[in-house]
Amino acid sequence: MLRHLIQHRPRFKVLLAGSHTIEEFQRWASYLINVQVVPISYLNEPEARQLIERPIPEFTLRYEPDAVERVLSLTRCHPCLVQLLCSEIVALKNEQEVSVRRLATVADVEAAIPEALSSGSFFFADIERNQVDELGLAILRFLAAQGEGASIGKAALSRTFPDRLNPTLNLLLQRELIEAVGDGYCFQVELIRRWFARDTGE
């Protein structure tokens, strides 16, 4: 049906959005002959700041500068996660006394994290259940347990995960879940690390 629309309805544009790459859909190759792949990644920082501070005209909630920086550091300007976290901040502020309701602080941002992880569970669960295998999941949990901003060297990872490490790291890099920092690896997005760290008590 989609191929028929693409080929015979020039006024229609069909957009398929997902977290998997076109290479992972080889069995669909005959249906996706005419597709154009458009990678979508993080917002740039000014766009993310606008989404935080002025998501709609005449937005009345203001953020302390440090609170904005904390949202940026937790989300790395990921559009879905910026909206998720800020939505929970707004919900939190709406429950507060009127005298403090209009200004978001770093403490408010931190307090909104558990609710964001809960309300965004489908986003995080898709990573956990559909984007990585068991080894990838074990590596993510191991990295998450090291704490915020921690980078683990490849030698240490090799000792803990001696089998199939390289292809698994490559998949995690491709999915933009981790990044190489010097000779080690760490999470790209702190909020995603928090999801995988939730079972460790960190």
Side-chain angles (χ1 to χ4, degrees), residues 11 15 37 62 67 75 80 104 108 110 126 160 169 176 193:
R11 293 184 178 206
L15 174 65
V37 178
R62 292 179 299 112
T75 63
C80 176
D108 293 318
E110 296 293 338
D126 179 65
T160 308
L169 288 176
E176 297 186 331
R193 187 199 70 81

Side-chain angles (χ1 to χ4, degrees), residues 34-86:
N34 302 358
V35 302
Q36 176 184 3
V37 178
V38 181
I40 299 173
S41 190
Y42 303 109
L43 299 171
N44 61 43
E45 191 173 303
E47 292 169 336
R49 287 180 181 278
Q50 180 179 340
L51 185 57
I52 296 164
E53 299 179 288
R54 297 179 307 281
I56 58 172
E58 300 179 17
F59 187 58
T60 57
L61 178 63
R62 292 179 299 112
Y63 285 78
E64 289 181 347
D66 287 348
V68 174
E69 294 304 319
R70 189 58 178 146
V71 172
L72 294 174
S73 71
L74 286 163
T75 63
R76 196 180 174 149
C77 304
H78 189 296
C80 176
L81 297 180
V82 170
Q83 293 179 78
L84 172 66
L85 184 55
C86 288

Side-chain angles (χ1 to χ4, degrees), residues 2-192:
L2 291 175
R3 181 174 178 179
H4 186 271
L5 278 173
I6 292 167
Q7 288 184 320
H8 302 291
R9 296 289 186 272
R11 293 184 178 206
F12 283 87
K13 295 288 183 191
V14 178
L15 174 65
L16 303 174
S19 57
H20 297 273
T21 64
I22 198 73
E23 290 80 15
E24 295 175 86
F25 289 98
Q26 291 303 312
R27 69 181 187 277
W28 283 34
S30 62
Y31 299 104
L32 300 173
I33 293 169
N34 302 358
V35 302
Q36 176 184 3
V37 178
V38 181
I40 299 173
S41 190
Y42 303 109
L43 299 171
N44 61 43
E45 191 173 303
E47 292 169 336
R49 287 180 181 278
Q50 180 179 340
L51 185 57
I52 296 164
E53 299 179 288
R54 297 179 307 281
I56 58 172
E58 300 179 17
F59 187 58
T60 57
L61 178 63
R62 292 179 299 112
Y63 285 78
E64 289 181 347
D66 287 348
V68 174
E69 294 304 319
R70 189 58 178 146
V71 172
L72 294 174
S73 71
L74 286 163
T75 63
R76 196 180 174 149
C77 304
H78 189 296
C80 176
L81 297 180
V82 170
Q83 293 179 78
L84 172 66
L85 184 55
C86 288
S87 173
E88 294 303 332
I89 293 168
V90 169
L92 174 74
K93 297 306 291 183
N94 284 341
E95 297 298 318
Q96 294 178 353
E97 295 292 330
V98 175
S99 60
V100 296
R101 188 177 293 171
R102 301 280 188 213
L103 181 65
T105 65
V106 173
D108 293 318
V109 175
E110 296 293 338
I113 293 171
E115 289 303 317
L117 293 175
S118 176
S119 63
S121 62
F122 284 141
F123 173 90
F124 300 108
D126 179 65
I127 297 171
E128 190 173 42
R129 297 177 186 160
N130 298 322
Q131 297 188 34
V132 297
D133 60 13
E134 287 185 21
L135 178 58
L137 186 57
I139 292 171
L140 290 176
R141 287 180 175 156
F142 178 78
L143 288 174
Q146 309 309 310
E148 184 170 347
S151 173
I152 303 300
K154 190 168 184 181
L157 288 171
S158 296
R159 287 191 296 273
T160 308
F161 306 101
D163 299 324
R164 298 185 301 109
L165 179 63
N166 284 338
T168 304
L169 288 176
N170 288 337
L171 177 64
L172 297 176
L173 289 165
Q174 177 188 332
R175 294 226 179 277
E176 297 186 331
L177 295 171
I178 64 171
E179 63 185 340
V181 178
D183 65 345
Y185 297 90
C186 67
F187 271 85
Q188 279 200 12
V189 181
E190 171 59 16
L191 207 56
I192 294 175

